[in-house]
Amino acid sequence: MKLRGTCALAVILSALIAASCSSGPKPPAVGTPAYYWSAAKETYDAGDYIKTVQHLSNLCRTDNDFTMRATPWRLVLIAGMAKGYMELADNYEFGARANRANSMQFRRQVNDYRTLAGRLALEFAETFEKFETAQKGPEVLLEFSYPIGSAMRTPILTKVASGQMLQPAAAEELRKTHLQTAMLNMTTEAVGAGEDRAKAQQLFKAGVVKVPREAFILAMANALNGTADLYSRTKLDDPKRMEFFATHAMDAVKPLPETKETKALLGKALKTMKLVSGK
């Protein structure tokens, strides 16, 4: 009898727990804006920036409650990833020169990473144009946590640049690690902290980071001009796109108040334009 009573009590408790769980808040339905926003936060916290961009892209395709919140986040992610892939490609190119016996394997990675960087660069430019048109407020809200990873260059990248070949698993780990580093540095720039990562990290402790629009625009303009190098003669060799990114960078900062930083950016963009013209 005692055993039966205990079993009956267990069944009742299980039913009560199940009822309690079922009466709680339901997760957002798959395919809804709330679902993509929640999924973006989850994959971002795990350091999977490719999936995060995919989720944010789904939000930015339509006008919904999360579009304005997703766009700045997506800009930072795409800019950071493009820069990361560009840097990876450059170091693999150094490796190809150092290890001529196996240069083709290094060259294959160079081509793959520059192709990825090119796709992200065009997506970045398109997203930035939409951002400039849609968001005119004095502040830009960044609703994500400070990125995981280290801001310091991993020693493995130096080994690649010196010609050391990596096994596929090690190469994939390098890719993930360096993208995290690039994202951390881009986020630091996006909040107007320059290279002061401690300052940037402190800003994110408060939750939503409110960045002055001028500072955010300047960071994105610097990213645009930096991306122009991807299309230089020794890389993807596309003068029209190189000119496009440099011009877009200059156009972005011209409406901003003149500062030492905006003047420096304009100077860099003009140098890029001279490279295009060959003068």
Side-chain angles (χ1 to χ4, degrees), residues 23 60 113 125 177 187 221 272:
S23 63
C60 293
Y113 286 149
T177 299
T187 302
T272 303

Side-chain angles (χ1 to χ4, degrees), residues 225-239:
N225 188 63
T227 302
D229 181 63
L230 178 65
Y231 299 97
S232 62
R233 184 179 59 81
T234 58
K235 296 179 182 179
L236 293 183
D237 192 18
D238 191 332

Side-chain angles (χ1 to χ4, degrees), residues 3-45:
L3 179 60
R4 290 178 182 177
T6 302
C7 291
L9 180 60
V11 171
I12 294 171
L13 287 173
S14 297
L16 289 173
I17 292 172
S20 174
C21 292
S22 63
S23 63
K26 294 182 179 180
V30 176
T32 62
Y35 168 82
Y36 288 124
W37 181 256
S38 176
K41 286 183 173 291
E42 183 178 338
T43 53
Y44 176 82
D45 289 341

Side-chain angles (χ1 to χ4, degrees), residues 4-262:
R4 290 178 182 177
T6 302
C7 291
L9 180 60
V11 171
I12 294 171
L13 287 173
S14 297
L16 289 173
I17 292 172
S20 174
C21 292
S22 63
S23 63
K26 294 182 179 180
V30 176
T32 62
Y35 168 82
Y36 288 124
W37 181 256
S38 176
K41 286 183 173 291
E42 183 178 338
T43 53
Y44 176 82
D45 289 341
D48 191 339
Y49 300 134
I50 293 177
K51 287 185 179 179
T52 305
V53 167
Q54 291 172 351
H55 294 315
L56 294 175
S57 296
N58 286 325
L59 287 171
C60 293
R61 288 193 186 104
T62 61
D63 187 11
N64 55 74
D65 292 341
F66 295 92
T67 304
M68 297 286 282
R69 300 162 67 184
T71 302
W73 186 6
R74 185 166 176 257
L75 272 174
V76 175
L77 275 168
I78 297 174
M81 289 173 65
K83 185 176 182 181
Y85 279 124
M86 287 172 64
E87 292 169 344
L88 283 169
D90 288 347
N91 281 274
Y92 272 98
E93 185 169 41
F94 296 149
R97 296 172 186 170
N99 188 345
R100 296 186 180 278
N102 297 289
S103 63
M104 288 302 298
Q105 296 188 44
F106 286 89
R107 295 285 179 192
R108 193 176 298 116
Q109 286 286 56
V110 172
N111 293 333
D112 288 347
Y113 286 149
R114 283 185 179 152
T115 298
L116 284 169
R119 292 174 185 169
L120 288 164
L122 294 175
E123 192 174 346
F124 172 60
E126 180 183 358
T127 304
F128 185 64
E129 288 179 353
K130 293 178 180 178
F131 168 83
E132 287 183 295
T133 302
Q135 301 199 23
K136 300 290 187 180
E139 294 178 327
V140 176
L141 304 184
L142 301 183
E143 299 187 48
F144 54 92
S145 57
Y146 196 60
I148 62 174
S150 171
M152 303 302 293
R153 172 190 173 103
T154 172
I156 305 300
L157 198 60
T158 302
K159 292 181 179 180
V160 167
S162 66
Q164 181 173 321
M165 296 179 62
L166 300 180
Q167 293 298 319
E172 175 61 13
E173 185 62 28
L174 169 62
R175 184 192 68 83
K176 291 181 179 179
T177 299
H178 189 69
L179 285 184
Q180 289 176 359
T181 297
M183 185 60 56
L184 194 150
N185 290 330
M186 180 57 64
T187 302
T188 302
E189 294 173 23
V191 298
E195 297 181 357
D196 191 341
R197 289 174 282 276
K199 178 181 177 181
Q201 192 170 17
Q202 188 64 34
L203 291 172
F204 277 88
K205 288 182 179 180
V208 177
V209 181
K210 299 179 179 179
V211 186
R213 190 173 190 274
E214 291 83 359
F216 187 81
I217 291 289
L218 178 62
M220 296 303 103
N222 272 309
L224 282 167
N225 188 63
T227 302
D229 181 63
L230 178 65
Y231 299 97
S232 62
R233 184 179 59 81
T234 58
K235 296 179 182 179
L236 293 183
D237 192 18
D238 191 332
K240 288 186 178 179
R241 285 186 175 171
M242 189 176 184
E243 181 179 13
F244 166 78
F245 278 94
T247 302
H248 201 158
M250 289 191 291
D251 290 342
V253 297
K254 282 178 181 177
L256 303 182
E258 186 176 288
T259 64
K260 179 179 66 176
E261 289 76 17
T262 59

